[in-house]
Amino acid sequence: GSTQKNQRYPGLNMSRCLGDLLGHHECGITCEPEISELKVEGGVDQILLVCSDGVWEFLSAQEAVDLVSPYPSSKCVPAADALAKEAWDRWIKEEGSTVVDDITVGLVYLGQDATSV
């Protein structure tokens, strides 16, 4: 986490602040995950995307799914690469900068032909 200037409490609570003892004791940050289960049925909910904010800031969830869904599960690495590249390109265009950080794509195909990166 990060501490705001002249403040005692963390100002930015993300997964990377899990070791922040002040955040744990004073703000309730915990390493206990929230778990949800979803039954995946054939032909429905076949792609799981877990991406950093460097992706979600520039693409909607639907745009991301539309971009990776044409790829078969055997091509999960090129699909993830394509999504990361699109986020990169949009970041450069919208921010007018050559500095890009924090673009991470986790892609899992669910179902009979399950593959992940």
Side-chain angles (χ1 to χ4, degrees), residues 12-114:
L12 181 62
N13 295 326
M14 294 184 175
S15 61
R16 61 179 164 244
C17 70
L18 293 176
D20 186 332
L21 293 178
L22 178 64
H24 173 73
H25 294 295
E26 302 291 331
C27 298
I29 298 170
T30 179
C31 64
E32 295 296 321
E34 289 185 26
I35 299 173
S36 298
E37 291 185 28
L38 172 68
K39 184 176 181 176
V40 177
E41 300 187 21
V44 179
D45 300 319
Q46 294 291 323
I47 297 172
L48 172 65
L49 287 167
V50 180
C51 304
S52 65
D53 63 338
V55 173
W56 301 128
E57 186 173 336
F58 300 101
L59 285 100
S60 70
Q62 188 62 56
E63 287 175 312
V65 168
D66 290 346
L67 199 147
V68 300
S69 62
Y71 292 84
S73 63
S74 63
K75 300 291 183 186
C76 62
V77 172
D81 288 345
L83 180 55
K85 182 183 182 319
E86 182 64 24
W88 177 285
D89 291 345
R90 290 186 186 196
W91 188 320
I92 295 293
K93 182 179 178 183
E94 291 182 30
E95 298 295 322
S97 172
T98 58
V99 177
V100 176
D101 68 348
D102 193 27
I103 293 179
T104 303
V105 175
L107 170 62
V108 179
Y109 285 85
L110 305 172
Q112 293 179 341
D113 296 330

